Amino acid sequence: MIRRFALRSVTSAALAMAAAAAVTVTTAPAAHAVGESSRCTINFRNFGGTVGKNGWNYRTGPSTGYTSRGLLYRGDKLTVLCSRDTWVYTQLSRRSASGLPKGLKGWVRQDGLLGLAG
């Protein structure tokens, strides 16, 4: 009888472990895996934009609470990807006047752009 009891305990434990192994746990992806554009509420089809002000912050997120990646200057060319409120998520079309590399993505306030061309 003791052997049967011990065998049942092992079998129950083995079944519990097998059941736990079969369960898939889904978690939300890390913020860096989602991408910055996940903060957008309106998507665009790659509109071109030109910076209209000097010393305009190019930020990591859609508010002044986010870190600046550097400064943009009048005439810098951007591709507008999407927006959230008064902020637009963009990609530099060419190297910026301050030396930010072509292709860098970031957020800029909409009122810092001269206009958009589709």
Side-chain angles (χ1 to χ4, degrees):
M1 286 270 215
I2 295 175
R3 280 189 165 189
R4 279 190 193 161
F5 180 73
L7 185 56
R8 284 185 187 162
S9 295
V10 170
T11 304
S12 297
L15 287 174
M17 286 177 27
V23 173
T24 303
V25 177
T26 305
T27 59
H32 68 277
V34 172
E36 296 173 51
S37 65
S38 66
R39 299 184 192 120
C40 293
T41 54
I42 299 172
N43 291 314
F44 293 98
R45 289 215 173 235
N46 301 333
F47 282 93
T50 303
V51 177
K53 298 185 179 187
N54 284 323
W56 210 244
N57 280 304
Y58 201 44
R59 298 193 179 273
T60 58
S63 81
T64 56
Y66 287 88
T67 305
S68 176
R69 291 198 160 136
L71 298 176
L72 299 175
Y73 290 91
R74 183 175 287 127
D76 282 341
K77 301 291 183 189
L78 304 165
T79 300
V80 177
L81 306 172
C82 62
S83 71
R84 180 183 185 107
D85 300 324
T86 60
W87 291 84
V88 289
Y89 184 60
T90 64
Q91 182 174 15
L92 284 169
S93 301
R94 62 182 186 211
R95 186 176 182 88
S96 74
S98 66
L100 295 173
K102 175 184 177 180
L104 182 67
K105 293 179 181 177
W107 292 84
V108 65
R109 271 196 7 228
Q110 183 177 332
D111 58 343
L113 300 178
L114 284 175
L116 302 175

